Amino acid sequence: MSSLRAAITAVSGWVPEDILDNHQLEQMVETNDEWIQTRTGIKERRILKKEGAGTSYMATKAINSLLEKRGITANDIDVIICATITPDLLFPSTANLICEQIGAKNALSFDLAAACSGFIYALETGSNFIKSGQYKKVVVVGADKMSAIIDYTDRSTCILFGDGAGAVLLEPDEEGYGVYDSILKTDGSGKDLLRAKGHGSADPLTPENIIKGEHFFYQEGKAVFKFAVTRMADVSAEIMKRNNLTGDDIAYLVPHQANKRIIEATAKRMGVGMDKVTLNIQKFGNTTGATIPLCLWEFEKDFKKGDNIVLAAFGGGFTWGSVYLKWAYNS
Ligand code: UT7
């Protein structure tokens, strides 16, 4: 069997400067800091306010600093995959717009929509481009401008989300580092519990749909919570078992940041202490496709070459999964 794997060789991220904290939300809807922190773990989130700037703007910032860190140019990139559910436009793809903004002329590019699992789906996809042997530099970026689809009069959703982008570079590795395994799943019966309806071909944007608020993010939080808590924990336990890993073998769990309680349940099931879990939900909230790469970016300084790292996510669809990788460098 080939020992060629896709290793993460650089990470970067970008979040907007503007902060929306729980106290500001108290002025906007009937809520309070204590409720939000106890139920979700979130204290504040970032909001992209720059006029005319969409998801590609944030992704471009993250990728430009990624390239600078690795000392390569945009023309060195072979593939760009953008995991997002808030594309700038219906088409061309956000990845396409990113290519133009960073000046990438040699890359194939496309968007991947798997909601909050988007980044791990895109990572597995990017990993297979590398394993084909045909592509040497693959950028996987998770980016979402959630503020564009949030109803800031709905207290059940507006407290949860923020905007941001995180990117990784994948390169071939034959020395035992990189992506070892992944389990990715879908259950389409979740489609009515977590969605944004009024943008698509089945239910296009019409004045009536806008008045009904169909273009906004919608979630049945309690029902989604139950699925998320079991599915994310189950799949993470499954990937550990399949790779003969115990909690002690795991250096870090890097989970999607939707709710601190879901993260705690997953860590407990894996036998991993919270000291080995990357958390930034308190600062950024749920940035959908960006939560996991933003965590990788923030915790990169703590990761050591050879660390066993498990990524886990759950999101709309439903989609969920886990990826097991060995970290490839010391920073
Ligand atoms: O990332 C994609 C996947 N998404 C997720 O994984 C999210 C999963 N769901 C959740 O994280 C949680 O369900 C929420 C954080 C969204 C909600 O927490 P909860 O503990 O499930 O609360 P709840 O919806 O059951 O609401 C409990 C109470 C209700 O009042 P009553 O009926 O008990 O009187 C709500 O009306 O809290 C009320 N409530 C609020 N109170 C203050 C709902 N939102 C708020 C709020 N502030 N913002």
Side-chain angles (χ1 to χ4, degrees):
M1 206 170 89
S2 162
S3 62
L4 178 63
R5 292 193 179 87
I8 294 177
T9 55
V11 257
S12 196
W14 191 84
V15 289
E17 270 177 23
D18 279 299
I19 292 174
L20 175 63
D21 68 24
N22 291 350
H23 298 293
Q24 288 165 282
L25 281 163
E26 285 172 356
Q27 310 304 312
M28 294 160 64
V29 288
E30 184 67 41
T31 190
N32 60 79
D33 176 51
E34 205 253 322
W35 190 96
I36 301 174
Q37 283 206 47
T38 338
R39 301 286 176 127
T40 71
I42 304 169
K43 291 184 188 164
E44 56 187 47
R45 59 296 284 142
R46 301 298 179 98
I47 304 294
L48 181 63
K49 291 191 175 164
K50 186 179 165 61
E51 202 166 323
T55 294
S56 70
Y57 176 84
M58 299 186 292
T60 294
K61 294 266 190 199
I63 296 172
N64 278 337
S65 77
L66 181 80
L67 299 179
E68 198 179 314
K69 249 172 124 173
R70 187 67 180 144
I72 59 171
T73 71
N75 282 333
D76 295 324
I77 306 171
D78 301 311
V79 181
I80 298 181
I81 309 172
C82 179
T84 189
I85 52 157
T86 52
D88 287 30
L89 311 167
L90 272 181
F91 75 91
S93 72
T94 306
N96 195 318
L97 304 177
I98 292 167
C99 282
E100 206 247 331
Q101 288 168 40
I102 64 173
K105 305 276 187 227
N106 301 319
L108 72 87
S109 75
F110 59 94
D111 287 359
L112 188 153
C116 294
S117 310
F119 181 77
I120 57 169
Y121 268 61
L123 186 64
E124 171 64 6
T125 308
S127 164
N128 282 299
F129 272 100
I130 295 282
K131 283 202 279 190
S132 75
Q134 204 184 331
Y135 304 92
K136 307 291 180 208
K137 289 190 169 43
V138 175
V139 169
V140 177
V141 58
D144 272 297
K145 183 182 170 185
M146 293 305 291
S147 63
I149 59 165
I150 294 299
D151 176 0
Y152 284 95
T153 65
D154 174 10
R155 71 175 183 172
S156 69
T157 54
C158 73
I159 55 138
L160 299 171
F161 293 94
D163 303 335
V168 302
L169 179 67
L170 297 177
E171 293 184 80
D173 180 283
E174 294 191 83
E175 291 171 8
Y177 304 102
V179 176
Y180 269 67
D181 197 9
S182 74
I183 305 175
L184 300 174
K185 302 201 177 191
T186 301
D187 175 357
S189 69
K191 68 184 190 312
D192 297 323
L193 299 174
L194 189 49
R195 57 163 164 73
K197 249 170 103 177
H199 295 256
S201 55
D203 207 353
L205 265 193
T206 59
E208 295 74 33
N209 278 346
I210 293 174
I211 289 164
K212 282 194 271 172
E214 300 272 31
H215 54 302
F216 287 129
F217 176 98
Y218 170 82
Q219 158 171 264
E220 288 185 27
K222 216 181 229 341
V224 174
F225 185 94
K226 281 187 194 148
F227 278 99
V229 94
T230 50
R231 300 282 158 84
M232 210 161 110
D234 283 352
V235 82
S236 303
E238 190 182 339
I239 209 163
M240 285 173 70
K241 192 167 172 214
R242 191 152 108 170
N243 290 280
N244 298 315
L245 297 167
T246 67
D248 290 341
D249 300 318
I250 308 287
Y252 287 95
L253 163 66
V254 183
H256 170 53
Q257 314 275 305
N259 188 313
K260 195 167 171 221
R261 291 182 288 146
I262 298 173
I263 294 171
E264 285 165 349
T266 303
K268 191 168 174 205
R269 177 77 186 282
M270 293 169 71
V272 168
M274 284 303 286
D275 55 324
K276 295 205 265 181
V277 178
T278 65
L279 272 184
N280 61 16
I281 189 170
Q282 69 283 3
K283 292 195 292 188
F284 301 145
N286 183 349
T287 53
T288 303
T291 64
I292 290 178
L294 281 174
C295 276
L296 294 174
W297 173 51
E298 281 212 284
F299 287 82
E300 177 195 29
K301 60 184 183 327
D302 301 324
F303 300 160
K304 305 265 176 314
K305 192 170 178 174
D307 274 354
N308 290 316
I309 296 183
V310 171
L311 317 180
F314 180 89
F318 296 126
T319 54
W320 71 100
S322 275
V323 173
Y324 160 48
L325 57 86
K326 270 191 196 291
W327 197 249
Y329 61 95
N330 293 316
S331 53

